[in-house]
Amino acid sequence: MKPEKRKGALTRRQFVAAGAAGSVAAIIGCKAAGNGNGEFLSAGQARTLGAICDQIVPADDFPSATQAGVLTYIDRQLVRPYRRFQNTYRDGLEMADANARKRFGGALADLTPPQQLQAVTELSQQAPEFFELVRSHTFQGYYGSPRHGGNRDAQSWRMLGLPEPPPLGRAQYDLGKGPQS
Amino acid sequence: MKRVNAVVVGAGAAGGIVAKELSVAGLSVILLERGKWYTAYDCRKDDLRNQRTTVLGNAFGPEDKGNPRVWVDAQGGLHTVLPSEGPYQNDAACVGGGTFSYGAQAWRYMPQDFKMRSTYGAPEGSSLEDWPISYDDLEPFYDKAEYEIGISGDYSGTPFKGPRKRPLPMPPLPAGKEFGILEPAARRLGLHPFHIPMARNSVPYNGRGPCMRCRWCCGFACEVDAKNGSQNTVIPIALNTGNCELRTECMVKEILTDDRGRAKGVSYFDERGHLQEQLADIVIVSGCATESARLLLNSKSKLFPNGLGNRYDQVGRNLQGHQYTGALGFFDFDTYDDVGPGADIAICDYNHGTPGLRGGGMLANEFIRLPIMSIDHLPSGTPTWGLGHKKAMRDWHRRTIVIIGPTQQIPSAEARVTLDPLVKDKWGLPVVRIQGNCHPHTYEIGDIQAERAQKWLLEAGAIDTRLLSQAQNAEKVSHGADANKGLPHKSHSELIPASQHQAGTCRMGNDPQGSVVNKFCQVHDVDNVFVIDSSVHVTNGGFNPALTIMAVAFYASNALVHNWKGTGFRS
C-alpha cells in the first residue's frame, strides 16, 4: 500500500513540476529572463521584476525566487485577483529601472549582483509601498502552494524540512485497519 | 411560493440549528443561504486561498467581485474594501457558515462572562452590560450542542469553568509535541493546562470518522469531514425531516412587513438573480453580526423608517469580535511535529480575577502553521528579505511555538455597522459600513495577556520571544495577508477586530431602548421576527464564540417552539 501511495504522489509531483516548467517555459523561455510571452508582464518588466524578486529570495543551497517560479506566480495573479495591482507594478518597475539607470548607468537586471542589492535596498526606501507589495507577493510565490505557479516542485517546503508530499494523515493515525485501498 | 411557518436567513452555526429544531418540531421551514454548499471534496489545501490566508481570495465566500463594504478609518477616511481584505471583517458565506472551515475550538463561556457589568462595573465610555440570561440558563443547551454537534476534549484539568452535568462526548485527540513542551511548563508556573474542546471527531462519531491530523486545518474544509459544523450535523437532520427546504445562493433583500407592523416574509434574489418573495409566519435572521444588522437596517418601511427593530437606533451598535494577543517563542530544538490540528493545550487561569483588569482571556497554542504564515513570525531583528530572511525561515519555521488567545472585548456603542449611502453590492443593496473601535481597555487587557503568554514560553525553554500585542502590532505582524492591501493602517488598533468572531450588533436585553431583542432573541418591536446568531451576544467572552452561538440557537429555538401555537405566540 505504501509504495503505491508514493508512486501516486510522485506522479502528482511530476505533474506539478511539469506544469510549472511548462508555464515558465511559455513565459520566460526557460530562463530567469523574460521574452514577453507572459500573461501580463512584458519581457523587460519580467527581467526587472525577476531581479527584485531574486534579491528578496536569493539563491543559496536552495533555489532563488525566479528559479522557484515566483515570476510565473506573480504574472499569473496580475491578470487574476491582483489585476488591481497592474498599474502599481507597471509604474513601480519603470521607476526601479529609471533609478538603476540614474544611479548605476544600466537597467536593474544588467547590474552586477552587489549593485543590484544596493539598488533594491534603495528601492525599498524610496518606494516602500511598492516594495512591500513585491515582497509579499514574492513570498507568496515562494512559500505558498505550488498550485498557483510558484514554489515549483514544493522546493521551499522541502527546504524547511516539511515532507512533500506530506505523509497522509492516515499513516499517522491508525483508523483501526479499515478497508485497504 | 407556498407560505411556510418559518423562514431562516443564513445557514451558519445558528441558522442550521434553528432550522433543525423547528423542522423537527413539525414547523415548515425554508432555510435561505447566500453562499454555496461545499463539501469535504472542496478542501483543496490551498495555502493562499482559504478562509484564513485570503491573499488570493476567500475560498468559501463571499467572492471579491460584487460584495464590497466600506470601512471608516480612525481619521474618518472612507475605504471601499474587498471581502478578502482585513477591514472587511469577513465571515464565510456558505452552508455551515464559519463552521465549515473554522479551527473548531468549541468553548463554553464562563459564568462571569454573562455578568460582566455586575462583576467589574462598566468603564467610562463603554457599553459593558450583563446578559439578560445566565450561564445556568444556557447550560442545558451547551450540553445539547456538545452532544449534537460533537465535541472532543477534556475539561477535567481546569478548575476555571462553569458547572457541567457530564463530560464531553469524545476524548481529546492524542497530544502533540507542543503539548508535551508546554504542559510541564504551565504546571511549574502554577497554571492549570488542559485539552482544548474541539468540534472535531477524535473517534468515529455521528457516522463520520476521526481527524486524520493533516497540515491544512484552520481555515480549510476538512478533507475527511471530521470537523463538525452545522453543514454536516444539524442541517442534514433538518432536511431529513421533510419539513425543511434549503435554498442556496439566495440573497435576502429585506424583511417584508404588513400594515400592522408584523413581518409577513422576506424578499430575496434567487441563484439566477430573480427577485422572489417567501411568505412566512416567522422570520429568523441568522446572518452573522454584520449581515444580520444590515438586513434589519435594509428592511425599511412606513412603520419602520430606520429599519426593522431600530426604533431606538440600537441595530448595528456594540460591534465586537476578539483581539488576539500572545507571543512567539523560539526554541533551540524542533517543536514542529507536522501533526494537525496543532492547537491542543489551553489555560483559563487568566479569564477572570486579575485586579485592575475587566476580564482577560483563554490562552492556547496556535493551530498548525503553513510556511506562508511564518514569513513575518521570525525573531525580532531578522531582515525582512534577502539571504538573512531565507536562512531565518530555515532556522525557525520548525522551532517556533505561538501562544495566543482571544481577549474579552469591552464593547463600545460607537463601534457599529451602518448602511453606506452610496456603495451597493451586485444585487443593488446598500452595503455594510464599519466604523469605530472597541473600548481601549480591551487593548490594555490584551497587552497583559501577551506578557503572560511570553512568560509561559520562557518557562517552556524558549531562547527568544516576541510579543504579539498592541504595541508590537505597530511593527506589523501579519500572516502574509495584510501587506498587499494598500490600506493606510499603521497599527491594527485602528481596526476593530471582529471578523470571524463578530458579535453584538443586535444586543439581547430587557430594555427595549438599550437593546434590539429580548432574552428569547425576539425583536422588541415585532414579535414574529427573531435574531438568532452572535448578533445578540451582549459581551463576547474570552473564548472562540462558536459553541456559545450554537447554545444560544438551541436555547432560543426551544423557547420559540414552546411559545408557538400555530398562528401566533402564547402571551
Side-chain angles (χ1 to χ4, degrees):
Chain A
M1 184 171 145
K2 213 169 182 183
E4 213 175 84
K5 255 181 202 163
R6 290 193 71 89
K7 201 171 136 200
L10 260 174
T11 315
R12 191 174 134 264
R13 198 193 303 170
Q14 282 161 348
F15 170 78
V16 171
S23 40
V24 167
I27 288 170
I28 54 177
C30 291
K31 282 187 206 147
N35 64 3
N37 290 338
E39 296 190 60
F40 172 74
L41 297 168
S42 72
Q45 286 170 331
R47 261 167 60 82
T48 308
L49 180 59
I52 301 172
C53 295
D54 277 352
Q55 290 303 322
I56 293 168
V57 184
D60 45 13
D61 292 345
F62 298 90
S64 72
T66 54
Q67 286 163 356
V70 167
L71 275 182
T72 317
Y73 169 79
I74 297 179
D75 187 60
R76 228 186 247 185
Q77 306 316 318
L78 280 172
V79 293
R80 292 186 179 86
Y82 292 165
R83 199 176 286 118
R84 62 189 190 275
F85 299 124
Q86 283 185 353
N87 287 337
T88 317
Y89 267 87
R90 206 178 282 129
D91 300 347
L93 292 172
E94 198 175 301
M95 191 187 74
D97 254 347
N99 285 351
R101 283 212 175 78
K102 214 183 304 168
R103 184 86 163 68
F104 299 102
L108 186 62
D110 297 330
L111 304 182
T112 64
Q115 284 174 331
Q116 283 187 353
L117 177 59
Q118 184 64 27
V120 172
T121 308
E122 286 173 17
L123 180 73
S124 71
Q125 291 147 4
Q126 288 159 351
E129 278 184 24
F130 170 64
F131 181 77
E132 188 51 36
L133 196 70
V134 178
R135 185 186 85 98
S136 63
H137 292 178
T138 302
F139 286 148
Q140 289 162 19
Y142 195 78
Y143 292 109
S145 168
R147 67 165 60 233
H148 298 292
N151 194 8
R152 188 186 304 161
D153 202 16
Q155 289 178 81
S156 75
W157 294 355
R158 260 173 253 167
M159 172 179 91
L160 299 180
L162 301 183
E164 178 56 32
L168 283 178
R170 287 166 202 282
Q172 294 173 23
Y173 194 88
D174 183 9
L175 282 179
K177 299 193 175 62
Q180 304 283 311
S181 53
Chain B
M1 234 171 272
K2 201 179 145 212
R3 182 185 177 89
V4 293
N5 291 135
V7 58
V8 181
V9 182
I17 287 169
V18 175
K20 181 241 159 189
E21 289 293 287
L22 267 51
S23 56
V24 166
L27 278 75
S28 54
V29 178
I30 298 289
L31 179 56
L32 296 173
E33 167 56 48
R34 68 174 166 151
K36 296 176 183 163
W37 195 345
Y38 298 98
T39 65
Y41 184 74
D42 296 299
C43 172
R44 302 187 71 81
K45 299 188 171 179
D46 189 336
D47 300 30
L48 302 175
R49 183 183 156 85
N50 50 72
Q51 288 300 123
R52 200 176 201 208
T53 305
T54 58
V55 291
L56 297 183
N58 296 322
F60 307 118
E63 57 178 18
D64 279 352
K65 204 176 164 205
N67 294 296
R69 274 183 189 172
V70 174
W71 167 57
V72 186
D73 67 27
Q75 287 74 40
L78 300 176
H79 307 272
T80 304
V81 290
L82 299 173
S84 61
E85 296 177 322
Y88 191 90
Q89 309 296 357
N90 188 41
D91 201 353
C94 62
V95 176
T99 68
F100 178 61
S101 58
Y102 62 172
Q105 295 195 25
W107 292 95
R108 290 183 176 206
Y109 289 178
M110 285 161 62
Q112 301 94 309
D113 291 327
F114 298 91
K115 301 197 176 314
M116 287 297 286
R117 188 187 177 106
S118 46
T119 307
Y120 295 108
E124 181 82 29
S126 80
S127 54
L128 195 64
E129 263 303 342
D130 290 353
W131 290 52
I133 56 175
S134 68
Y135 175 86
D136 295 334
D137 293 329
L138 274 188
E139 202 285 331
F141 302 99
Y142 268 131
D143 182 83
K144 193 171 161 72
E146 285 167 348
Y147 276 74
E148 290 201 14
I149 304 295
I151 313 295
S152 61
D154 184 0
Y155 271 105
S156 63
T158 178
F160 305 101
K161 58 178 185 240
R164 46 181 307 131
K165 287 196 197 71
R166 50 179 176 169
L168 291 168
M170 284 180 276
L173 286 163
K177 200 167 179 179
E178 293 189 3
F179 190 102
I181 298 164
L182 294 171
E183 199 253 4
R187 295 216 183 279
R188 287 196 296 275
L189 290 171
L191 303 170
H192 301 82
F194 63 104
H195 296 272
I196 300 175
M198 298 261 196
R200 179 178 286 102
N201 288 356
S202 58
V203 292
Y205 193 81
N206 259 343
R208 283 172 289 106
C211 169
M212 71 166 193
R213 317 209 67 176
C214 82
R215 204 184 289 160
W216 290 268
C217 193
C218 183
F220 298 86
C222 179
E223 198 181 16
V224 294
D225 215 9
K227 205 150 61 173
N228 306 324
S230 66
Q231 81 289 343
N232 58 4
T233 54
V234 283
I235 290 175
I237 295 175
L239 300 181
N240 261 342
T241 62
N243 292 333
C244 177
E245 181 187 337
L246 169 63
R247 296 187 193 144
T248 57
E249 296 180 74
C250 289
M251 178 67 181
V252 176
K253 177 173 178 266
E254 62 181 326
I255 299 166
L256 305 168
T257 44
D258 62 20
D259 296 340
R260 294 161 57 217
R262 296 190 87 227
K264 57 178 186 181
V266 299
S267 64
Y268 67 93
F269 295 99
D270 67 14
E271 76 278 15
R272 291 190 295 177
H274 298 158
L275 192 61
Q276 307 281 3
E277 275 190 12
Q278 176 60 56
L279 300 184
D281 299 326
I282 315 169
V283 174
I284 294 126
V285 182
S286 304
C288 83
T290 44
E291 292 293 324
S292 288
R294 177 190 180 200
L295 177 57
L296 293 181
L297 294 171
N298 265 331
S299 302
K300 293 189 170 101
S301 61
K302 211 193 297 179
L303 287 169
F304 304 103
N306 301 317
L308 203 68
N310 198 29
R311 192 177 303 279
Y312 297 105
D313 190 25
Q314 288 297 313
V315 173
R317 289 192 181 273
N318 309 306
L319 176 64
Q320 297 160 61
H322 282 126
Q323 185 208 18
Y324 265 75
T325 57
L328 293 161
F330 303 98
F331 292 77
D332 56 4
F333 54 89
D334 271 16
T335 55
Y336 183 85
D337 56 7
D338 206 31
V339 172
D344 53 8
I345 183 169
I347 53 166
C348 291
D349 298 59
Y350 298 133
N351 278 70
H352 291 285
T354 309
L357 290 189
R358 292 174 171 90
M362 167 276 290
L363 284 175
N365 63 335
E366 171 67 295
F367 283 97
I368 189 166
R369 291 168 304 286
L370 298 164
I372 189 68
M373 297 174 174
S374 282
I375 58 172
D376 289 325
H377 276 182
L378 298 169
S380 312
T382 304
T384 54
W385 54 279
L387 271 182
H389 182 273
K390 192 178 182 185
K391 183 172 177 301
M393 285 293 287
R394 288 201 290 268
D395 288 347
W396 301 113
H397 179 67
R398 296 176 60 98
R399 298 185 164 197
T400 307
I401 294 180
V402 182
I403 292 178
I404 204 161
T407 302
Q408 172 98 250
Q409 273 196 10
I410 308 299
S412 155
E414 298 313 310
R416 63 186 299 196
V417 169
T418 54
L419 296 179
D420 192 85
L422 297 174
V423 180
K424 306 268 197 291
D425 66 9
K426 64 183 169 191
W427 296 279
L429 304 174
V431 304
V432 163
R433 176 191 272 198
I434 291 184
Q435 63 196 79
N437 205 335
C438 49
H439 189 275
H441 184 57
T442 309
Y443 298 102
E444 294 167 20
I445 304 171
D447 286 357
I448 288 176
Q449 289 288 94
E451 285 163 22
R452 289 163 163 169
Q454 182 185 41
K455 207 173 148 202
W456 186 2
L457 287 163
L458 288 169
E459 182 63 34
I463 53 172
D464 189 8
T465 58
R466 197 175 134 194
L467 292 173
L468 301 171
S469 63
Q470 168 74 353
Q472 298 296 309
N473 277 339
E475 76 169 68
K476 201 153 132 30
V477 173
S478 70
H479 284 173
D482 293 352
N484 57 17
K485 304 311 182 204
L487 291 166
H489 60 272
K490 292 176 200 73
S491 153
H492 284 214
S493 64
E494 268 194 43
L495 280 180
I496 178 156
S499 300
Q500 288 93 341
H501 293 194
Q502 56 185 264
T505 56
C506 302
R507 179 174 270 197
M508 179 195 274
N510 295 322
D511 172 15
Q513 301 196 20
S515 57
V516 178
V517 297
N518 67 18
K519 67 175 188 172
F520 299 118
C521 297
Q522 193 170 23
V523 173
H524 287 303
D525 275 357
V526 191
D527 77 346
N528 65 341
V529 176
F530 290 74
V531 180
I532 305 181
D533 63 9
S534 60
S535 309
V536 305
H537 291 194
V538 178
T539 54
N540 209 22
F543 297 104
N544 307 52
L547 191 76
T548 302
I549 296 171
M550 292 166 172
V552 168
F554 277 118
Y555 154 85
S557 311
N558 179 60
L560 198 163
V561 167
H562 276 90
N563 291 325
W564 173 250
K565 55 173 187 180
T567 51
F569 291 95
R570 293 190 183 94
S571 52

mmCIF file of all heavy atoms in Angstrom, chain B residues 172-189:
data_model
loop_
_atom_site.group_PDB
_atom_site.id
_atom_site.type_symbol
_atom_site.label_atom_id
_atom_site.label_comp_id
_atom_site.label_asym_id
_atom_site.label_seq_id
_atom_site.Cartn_x
_atom_site.Cartn_y
_atom_site.Cartn_z
ATOM 1 N N PRO B 172 -10.095 13.818 24.019
ATOM 2 C CA PRO B 172 -9.279 14.666 23.147
ATOM 3 C C PRO B 172 -8.445 13.808 22.199
ATOM 4 O O PRO B 172 -8.230 12.615 22.457
ATOM 5 C CB PRO B 172 -8.372 15.405 24.129
ATOM 6 C CG PRO B 172 -8.334 14.571 25.351
ATOM 7 C CD PRO B 172 -9.650 13.869 25.417
ATOM 8 N N LEU B 173 -7.969 14.416 21.128
ATOM 9 C CA LEU B 173 -7.005 13.747 20.255
ATOM 10 C C LEU B 173 -5.724 13.522 21.053
ATOM 11 O O LEU B 173 -5.439 14.258 22.000
ATOM 12 C CB LEU B 173 -6.694 14.627 19.033
ATOM 13 C CG LEU B 173 -7.775 14.711 17.964
ATOM 14 C CD1 LEU B 173 -7.507 15.904 17.053
ATOM 15 C CD2 LEU B 173 -7.839 13.430 17.146
ATOM 16 N N PRO B 174 -4.919 12.516 20.691
ATOM 17 C CA PRO B 174 -3.641 12.343 21.377
ATOM 18 C C PRO B 174 -2.814 13.630 21.306
ATOM 19 O O PRO B 174 -2.842 14.339 20.298
ATOM 20 C CB PRO B 174 -2.965 11.223 20.578
ATOM 21 C CG PRO B 174 -4.082 10.495 19.917
ATOM 22 C CD PRO B 174 -5.147 11.509 19.659
ATOM 23 N N ALA B 175 -2.116 13.943 22.389
ATOM 24 C CA ALA B 175 -1.399 15.213 22.481
ATOM 25 C C ALA B 175 -0.262 15.287 21.456
ATOM 26 O O ALA B 175 0.381 14.290 21.155
ATOM 27 C CB ALA B 175 -0.835 15.375 23.886
ATOM 28 N N GLY B 176 -0.049 16.489 20.929
ATOM 29 C CA GLY B 176 1.059 16.713 20.003
ATOM 30 C C GLY B 176 2.326 17.080 20.759
ATOM 31 O O GLY B 176 2.360 17.110 21.992
ATOM 32 N N LYS B 177 3.366 17.393 19.983
ATOM 33 C CA LYS B 177 4.673 17.698 20.575
ATOM 34 C C LYS B 177 4.629 18.965 21.428
ATOM 35 O O LYS B 177 5.235 19.042 22.489
ATOM 36 C CB LYS B 177 5.684 17.859 19.451
ATOM 37 C CG LYS B 177 7.122 17.697 19.871
ATOM 38 C CD LYS B 177 8.009 17.548 18.645
ATOM 39 C CE LYS B 177 9.463 17.412 19.020
ATOM 40 N NZ LYS B 177 10.307 17.235 17.836
ATOM 41 N N GLU B 178 3.887 19.990 20.937
ATOM 42 C CA GLU B 178 3.827 21.257 21.687
ATOM 43 C C GLU B 178 3.186 21.050 23.054
ATOM 44 O O GLU B 178 3.579 21.687 24.038
ATOM 45 C CB GLU B 178 3.070 22.324 20.883
ATOM 46 C CG GLU B 178 3.804 22.744 19.619
ATOM 47 C CD GLU B 178 3.172 23.938 18.927
ATOM 48 O OE1 GLU B 178 2.180 24.527 19.425
ATOM 49 O OE2 GLU B 178 3.668 24.313 17.856
ATOM 50 N N PHE B 179 2.196 20.161 23.111
ATOM 51 C CA PHE B 179 1.558 19.885 24.395
ATOM 52 C C PHE B 179 2.598 19.378 25.386
ATOM 53 O O PHE B 179 2.666 19.819 26.531
ATOM 54 C CB PHE B 179 0.446 18.840 24.197
ATOM 55 C CG PHE B 179 -0.446 18.649 25.400
ATOM 56 C CD1 PHE B 179 -1.709 19.221 25.434
ATOM 57 C CD2 PHE B 179 -0.026 17.900 26.494
ATOM 58 C CE1 PHE B 179 -2.539 19.045 26.540
ATOM 59 C CE2 PHE B 179 -0.842 17.722 27.604
ATOM 60 C CZ PHE B 179 -2.110 18.290 27.626
ATOM 61 N N GLY B 180 3.453 18.465 24.896
ATOM 62 C CA GLY B 180 4.481 17.890 25.769
ATOM 63 C C GLY B 180 5.477 18.918 26.274
ATOM 64 O O GLY B 180 6.022 18.792 27.368
ATOM 65 N N ILE B 181 5.710 19.956 25.479
ATOM 66 C CA ILE B 181 6.655 21.007 25.884
ATOM 67 C C ILE B 181 5.983 22.001 26.831
ATOM 68 O O ILE B 181 6.562 22.446 27.813
ATOM 69 C CB ILE B 181 7.186 21.742 24.625
ATOM 70 C CG1 ILE B 181 7.944 20.755 23.726
ATOM 71 C CG2 ILE B 181 8.064 22.923 25.000
ATOM 72 C CD1 ILE B 181 8.171 21.271 22.305
ATOM 73 N N LEU B 182 4.723 22.337 26.522
ATOM 74 C CA LEU B 182 4.062 23.419 27.262
ATOM 75 C C LEU B 182 3.402 22.958 28.561
ATOM 76 O O LEU B 182 3.278 23.731 29.508
ATOM 77 C CB LEU B 182 2.996 24.079 26.364
ATOM 78 C CG LEU B 182 3.543 24.817 25.135
ATOM 79 C CD1 LEU B 182 2.411 25.232 24.212
ATOM 80 C CD2 LEU B 182 4.348 26.044 25.570
ATOM 81 N N GLU B 183 2.991 21.703 28.612
ATOM 82 C CA GLU B 183 2.222 21.259 29.777
ATOM 83 C C GLU B 183 3.032 21.320 31.067
ATOM 84 O O GLU B 183 2.603 21.941 32.046
ATOM 85 C CB GLU B 183 1.665 19.854 29.502
ATOM 86 C CG GLU B 183 0.523 19.466 30.391
ATOM 87 C CD GLU B 183 0.912 18.434 31.435
ATOM 88 O OE1 GLU B 183 2.108 18.061 31.521
ATOM 89 O OE2 GLU B 183 0.027 18.025 32.177
ATOM 90 N N PRO B 184 4.244 20.718 31.102
ATOM 91 C CA PRO B 184 5.000 20.802 32.361
ATOM 92 C C PRO B 184 5.379 22.237 32.720
ATOM 93 O O PRO B 184 5.412 22.596 33.909
ATOM 94 C CB PRO B 184 6.246 19.949 32.091
ATOM 95 C CG PRO B 184 6.246 19.602 30.656
ATOM 96 C CD PRO B 184 4.914 19.897 30.086
ATOM 97 N N ALA B 185 5.634 23.061 31.703
ATOM 98 C CA ALA B 185 5.997 24.456 31.987
ATOM 99 C C ALA B 185 4.838 25.173 32.665
ATOM 100 O O ALA B 185 5.029 25.923 33.629
ATOM 101 C CB ALA B 185 6.377 25.157 30.684
ATOM 102 N N ALA B 186 3.625 24.943 32.167
ATOM 103 C CA ALA B 186 2.452 25.589 32.773
ATOM 104 C C ALA B 186 2.295 25.136 34.217
ATOM 105 O O ALA B 186 2.002 25.940 35.104
ATOM 106 C CB ALA B 186 1.196 25.261 31.966
ATOM 107 N N ARG B 187 2.514 23.845 34.460
ATOM 108 C CA ARG B 187 2.368 23.339 35.837
ATOM 109 C C ARG B 187 3.412 23.976 36.770
ATOM 110 O O ARG B 187 3.104 24.313 37.902
ATOM 111 C CB ARG B 187 2.506 21.819 35.864
ATOM 112 C CG ARG B 187 1.385 21.129 35.122
ATOM 113 C CD ARG B 187 0.949 19.824 35.780
ATOM 114 N NE ARG B 187 -0.086 19.190 34.966
ATOM 115 C CZ ARG B 187 -1.365 19.538 34.998
ATOM 116 N NH1 ARG B 187 -1.779 20.472 35.836
ATOM 117 N NH2 ARG B 187 -2.246 18.956 34.203
ATOM 118 N N ARG B 188 4.624 24.150 36.246
ATOM 119 C CA ARG B 188 5.653 24.794 37.073
ATOM 120 C C ARG B 188 5.263 26.219 37.444
ATOM 121 O O ARG B 188 5.635 26.732 38.478
ATOM 122 C CB ARG B 188 7.007 24.800 36.338
ATOM 123 C CG ARG B 188 7.675 23.425 36.278
ATOM 124 C CD ARG B 188 9.157 23.539 35.901
ATOM 125 N NE ARG B 188 9.385 24.074 34.578
ATOM 126 C CZ ARG B 188 9.377 23.350 33.450
ATOM 127 N NH1 ARG B 188 9.145 22.050 33.494
ATOM 128 N NH2 ARG B 188 9.597 23.899 32.281
ATOM 129 N N LEU B 189 4.496 26.867 36.552
ATOM 130 C CA LEU B 189 4.055 28.236 36.837
ATOM 131 C C LEU B 189 2.800 28.255 37.702
ATOM 132 O O LEU B 189 2.242 29.314 37.979
ATOM 133 C CB LEU B 189 3.771 28.973 35.527
ATOM 134 C CG LEU B 189 4.988 29.315 34.646
ATOM 135 C CD1 LEU B 189 4.532 29.828 33.298
ATOM 136 C CD2 LEU B 189 5.877 30.345 35.334
#
